[in-house]
Amino acid sequence: MSDSMPASGAEHTADSPLPIGVERTPTGHAEVDTWIERLGDADRLTTDGHIEVYEDVHRGLRDTLTALDARPVPTLSHNNRR
């Protein structure tokens, strides 16, 4: 792949940002994967637009992890007494 060709195969023009080209590997967790894919939005933006995407992804991942901690823990049933 040449330095002037984006990873997506789209033509690069002088006035469009050049994608970073970092591969995003799925984790298997749908919510996390959605946020990881959101990082690809930075490829279309100039550098000064990256911070908004990074902050959005950070906030989303933090909320996703917080939600995992907030889920109720199943309790043992006492219906198995003899």
Side-chain angles (χ1 to χ4, degrees):
M1 177 183 326
S2 72
D3 289 337
S4 62
M5 180 62 70
S8 66
E11 292 296 321
H12 174 70
T13 62
D15 59 343
S16 66
L18 185 62
I20 299 170
V22 175
E23 282 191 45
R24 292 171 297 280
T25 305
T27 65
H29 188 280
E31 280 185 80
V32 172
D33 290 343
T34 299
W35 289 113
I36 298 297
E37 281 303 309
R38 167 86 167 98
L39 289 171
D41 292 345
D43 281 350
R44 305 191 297 272
L45 303 171
T46 57
T47 309
D48 60 344
H50 290 188
I51 190 73
E52 182 180 336
V53 172
Y54 298 155
E55 287 177 347
D56 187 39
V57 170
H58 180 259
R59 185 174 30 259
L61 288 172
R62 186 183 59 228
D63 291 349
T64 299
L65 290 173
T66 300
L68 289 173
D69 287 341
R71 291 185 181 153
V73 176
T75 57
L76 296 175
S77 172
H78 296 289
N79 295 333
N80 294 334
R81 295 183 187 168
R82 291 185 180 195

